[in-house]
């Protein structure tokens, strides 16, 4: 397939590493590149969806924004995997807790991602597909989280097409099924990776709770974010 793509202007596969961190916010991608990576080059600015490649502890790694929602991460992850040959895609983001025992800033590792989206209909499967993380990446993330001593939970998350849902109680039905938290991207990322034989993982920080209505402040989020980044970068 031809590069550059409609959404990524990198003119060579070599400009993007085999492993990429994917925050939703492109300015978060810039923050990660500025604060955690060395020898950084910028490989994309199309639509301001900033992408960078650098090194972390001597290993090459890329970071790029995905935008919000499954259509957006669907496009970027598809192009990264199928056009640029990216092998390991690690989403780092925030989520809303659906279980009462989850606290603000807890880390959630998405083993699987349920969804209310139509994204998976494109595969025309004779049943229901279960978008699942790479076990290899998941296992490593759990190991690093344990070593860091952070509070983490591993399980099913919900990738929702709506942030403002007309049915304000719909999340409770997912909560009944043991789903830990809601975000808006993982299911599409996992499906794209599965379809193309790549590895994907989602690591989230709880930024708000649908159960208790607690919310984090932007400053507080920064600290929690650092823990999540430490896990993601070690992968
Ligand atoms: N809903 C969807 N995505 C989110 C939320 C939420 O409450 N919090 C953080 N990401």
């Amino acid at each position: 397939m031809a590069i550059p793509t409609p959404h990524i202007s990198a003119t060579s596969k070599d400009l993007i590493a085999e492993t990429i961190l994917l925050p939703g916010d492109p300015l978060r991608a810039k923050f990660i590149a500025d604060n955690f990576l060395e020898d950084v080059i910028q490989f994309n600015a199309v639509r301001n969806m900033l992408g960078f490649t650098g090194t972390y502890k001597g290993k090459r790694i890329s970071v790029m924004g995905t935008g919000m929602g499954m259509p957006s991460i669907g496009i970027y992850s598809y192009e990264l995997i199928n056009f640029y040959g990216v092998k390991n895609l690690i989403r780092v983001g925030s989520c809303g807790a659906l279980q009462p025992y989850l606290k603000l800033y807890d880390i959630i590792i998405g083993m699987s991602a349920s969804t209310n989206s139509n994204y998976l209909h494109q595969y025309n499967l004779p049943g229901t597909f279960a978008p699942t993380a790479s076990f290899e990446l998941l296992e490593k993330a759990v190991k690093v989280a344990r070593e860091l001593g952070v509070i983490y939970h591993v399980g099913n998350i919900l990738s929702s097409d709506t942030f403002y849902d007309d049915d304000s109680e719909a999340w409770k039905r997912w909560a009944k099924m043991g789903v830990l938290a809601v975000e808006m991207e993982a299911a599409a990322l996992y499906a794209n990776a599965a379809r193309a034989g790549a590895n994907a993982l989602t690591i989230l920080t709880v930024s708000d709770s649908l159960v208790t209505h607690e919310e984090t402040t932007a400053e507080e989020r920064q600290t929690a974010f650092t823990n999540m980044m430490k896990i993601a970068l070690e992968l």
Side-chain angles (χ1 to χ4, degrees):
M1 293 195 219
I3 53 172
T5 67
H7 311 97
I8 303 175
S9 62
T11 51
S12 162
K13 285 186 177 189
D14 299 340
L15 297 173
I16 308 181
E18 274 202 350
T19 299
I20 193 164
L21 304 184
L22 300 171
D25 179 356
L27 291 181
R28 205 16 73 97
K30 180 165 167 40
F31 179 88
I32 294 167
D34 288 346
N35 290 279
F36 296 96
L37 305 188
E38 290 175 70
D39 303 320
V40 174
I41 59 122
Q42 183 176 323
F43 68 79
N44 193 53
V46 177
R47 291 178 186 245
N48 282 325
M49 202 54 81
L50 307 176
F52 306 88
T53 299
T55 58
Y56 178 77
K57 295 186 181 169
K59 288 192 186 146
R60 271 184 101 230
I61 187 162
S62 294
V63 56
M64 182 179 170
T66 63
M68 290 180 284
M70 279 174 274
S72 189
I73 197 169
I75 289 169
Y76 293 111
S77 60
Y78 187 97
E79 293 182 359
L80 289 167
I81 297 167
N82 296 292
F83 293 62
Y84 289 96
V86 175
K87 295 278 181 281
N88 307 301
L89 301 93
I90 302 148
R91 162 164 155 70
V92 284
S94 61
C95 63
L98 301 184
Q99 300 295 339
Y101 56 85
L102 298 176
K103 306 256 184 323
L104 297 184
Y105 311 115
D106 282 5
I107 301 256
I108 308 284
I109 303 176
M111 182 157 66
S112 50
S114 299
T115 187
N116 57 19
S117 160
N118 269 338
Y119 192 86
L120 304 170
H121 288 207
Q122 65 178 302
Y123 304 108
N124 199 20
L125 295 165
T128 312
F129 181 72
T132 307
S134 147
F135 181 70
E136 200 187 341
L137 291 177
L138 178 77
E139 198 179 27
K140 277 193 204 155
V142 168
K143 185 167 174 275
V144 178
R146 263 196 207 126
E147 282 165 7
L148 288 174
V150 300
I151 298 170
Y152 69 94
H153 310 266
V154 182
N156 196 357
I157 56 178
L158 171 65
S159 298
S160 176
D161 267 350
T162 49
F163 187 88
Y164 301 104
D165 202 288
D166 195 53
D167 176 357
S168 62
E169 307 267 282
W171 66 269
K172 293 185 179 171
R173 299 199 289 281
W174 293 104
K176 267 198 232 171
M177 295 303 289
V179 174
L180 298 176
V182 55
E183 53 90 72
M184 305 185 72
E185 292 83 15
L189 174 65
Y190 289 0
N192 278 354
R195 176 71 181 84
N199 311 306
L201 182 67
T202 295
I203 308 174
L204 305 164
T205 303
V206 174
S207 63
D208 55 87
S209 170
L210 282 80
V211 185
T212 64
H213 305 290
E214 295 169 284
E215 279 176 23
T216 53
T217 65
E219 280 173 339
E220 292 167 331
R221 274 203 291 275
Q222 201 59 53
T223 320
F225 169 78
T226 305
N227 281 333
M228 177 171 67
M229 284 315 308
K230 281 187 198 153
I231 301 173
L233 284 163
E234 292 300 331
L235 302 181

